[in-house]
Amino acid sequence: MILDVKDIEVYYNNVILAIEDINISIEQGQIVSLLGANGAGKSTCLKAISGLLEVEKGRVTRGEIYFEGKRVDQLGAIERVKSGICLVAEGRQLLKTLTVEENLKVGSLIRKDSASVIKDDLERMYTYFPILKQRAKQVSETLSGGEQQMLVIARTIMMRPKLLLLDEPSLGLAPLIAAAVISEIHRINQELGTTILLVEQNAALALPISNKAYIITNGRVALCSTPEEMKKIDLRDYYLGRKRAAI
Amino acid sequence: MFIQALIAGIAVGSVYALIALGMVLIYKASSVINFSQGALVMIGAYITYAVVTGIPAPLWITIPIAIGLSALLGVVIERLIFRYMTGVDLIAVIMVTLGISFLLEGSTTAIWGTLNYSFPKILPEMSFSLGGIHISEVYIWSFIFSMVILIMFTLFFKYSKIGLRMRAVADNQKASISLGIHPGKMISLSWAISCVVATIGGVMLANIKLLNLGLSGIGILVFPVVILGGLDSIIGAVLGGFIIGILGSLSAVYAGGLMGGAVDQVVSFVILLIILLVKPYGLFGTKETLRL
Ligand SMILES: Nc1ncnc2c1ncn2[C@@H]1O[C@H](COP(=O)(O)OP(=O)(O)OP(=O)(O)O)[C@@H](O)[C@H]1O
Ligand SMILES: [Mg+2]
């Protein structure tokens, strides 16, 4: 197990309870999806794992998070990044005044690999997302929404994460572009062996590439199952809160 | 007369540009408008004076020591004060920078008194004349030094890893953290660099004029430069430096007689007023920076 989230509870500002009790486990090399309605606590979950809660005055108040067998919930965000947990946060966090290529280079700064290995990786990103190559010298602010999403994903892959946390990569994208982004995410998982925890509203996009999925409602895991099982049930029950946590 | 005033303006302007660059760096990294920049220019010049005249060693040893001390001062200011001021109102932050300014001026008076010192010659002799007009060598050296440093910074930010990290932090702190970059370290570094350029600027000004407490008044002159260029624009700081430098110098020559001294400072602020009326974000600025 590469990631094991055990019974966590998360508060913002010490008063807003965002996650009541969540358990998630991921095997090495898997893609696992977190599904659920707005405000269910999906993003909060990724922030808790990555340590980025600290910049939003959030705190894990109960439970433990283990990454590669080591407890990480006490570590700072940057330490976790260095140990291989990398987050593509919601809202396309570009370095908007930097060019596309500079954004990708910033991603590689934490690596100790030689310049030539990094150069190869840069070219690899351009094969995953060819449009970025055309835009390489352009200031990233001028990219379209879909291109921006591709850039933040590619930039995070440049960090060579062991665990990639993706927060709603398809949000706001045209259906075709969203499908293309999802299929590149699948390809990254297959070719580089990157373990991925994917947050999505769009179950139809996420389920086909997932090994396992969780449905989160009101800060709890309502259902954990295989994608095949999930397809048989009416997810709307969970999204609309007609069904609550099973236990 | 015109040529000489123009050249003096360009030289002084290049020094302004350098000092303004320091303010822009800090603003970009941490949104702090540093009103103590002028005092840092002054204290930097005094520190260099003390090191160069106090340590019996050649300049290639003493100057780097002075530069190192300036960088250290910047780091200390950031670590002890501004590290704890994130999320504080802009107006409070400005008050703190003014406080630092008074502190530095007070300490300088306490240590060195209010005398004028003439700076030891640290720039090599060089004679230069253009079309029969003699041009003071300190102007030429100031210009050359400032340009070299400005170009070095441009390359540093474009191509070095640390420069890239600094730009990342200036752009988006949250994204930087998720990319494994410590914003605090980069902000410290901005202060260090800012103090170093302030010191270099101070030494050049002390060479052009004299070394005394009046050097901190440069802060008042550089402020219009930064506003003119746009608080968050490096190119703006450089061009703003030249514009204010040249206009100040020309007006001192042509209007100085009419109004007595200090007309160059008046001109700077008249320009500042006009700019703020027409373009509130400065010529190259992007953000809404001032709402005081
Ligand atoms: N920075 C914050 N400060 C305070 N409360 C927050 C913060 N971020 C999220 N919350 C609260 O925590 C709860 C869970 O939010 P979260 O963003 O994790 O939901 P989500 O499942 O990602 O929703 P969405 O699908 O809309 O992105 C919400 O009630 C939200 O209001
Ligand atoms: Mg969310």
Side-chain angles (χ1 to χ4, degrees), chain B residues 66-125:
Chain B
I67 299 280
L69 287 174
S70 312
L72 188 67
L73 176 66
V75 172
V76 168
I77 291 176
E78 195 276 328
R79 281 282 152 98
L80 290 187
I81 302 170
F82 291 98
R83 186 64 58 100
Y84 304 100
M85 296 207 58
T86 39
V88 177
D89 266 0
L90 182 62
I91 193 85
V93 174
I94 288 176
M95 287 304 156
V96 170
T97 69
L98 283 173
I100 293 172
S101 199
F102 293 135
L103 189 74
L104 292 176
E105 281 167 27
S107 325
T108 309
T109 317
I111 300 172
W112 285 285
T114 52
L115 297 173
N116 287 331
Y117 294 83
S118 65
F119 218 84
K121 275 268 161 287
I122 59 173
L123 302 170
E125 295 285 337

Side-chain angles (χ1 to χ4, degrees), chain A residues 191-210:
Chain A
E191 288 184 10
L192 305 178
T194 313
T195 309
I196 297 175
L197 178 57
L198 173 65
V199 164
E200 260 297 341
Q201 296 264 358
N202 189 337
L205 275 177
L207 287 179
I209 65 164
S210 303

Side-chain angles (χ1 to χ4, degrees), chain B residues 43 63 81 130 178 184 189 217:
Chain B
I43 193 106
I63 295 287
I81 302 170
L130 189 104
S178 67
L189 191 57

Side-chain angles (χ1 to χ4, degrees), chain A residues 38-39 41-44 90 167-168 199 201:
Chain A
N38 290 116
K42 307 180 295 296
S43 300
T44 303
E90 54 198 333
D167 201 344
E168 302 207 41
V199 164
Q201 296 264 358

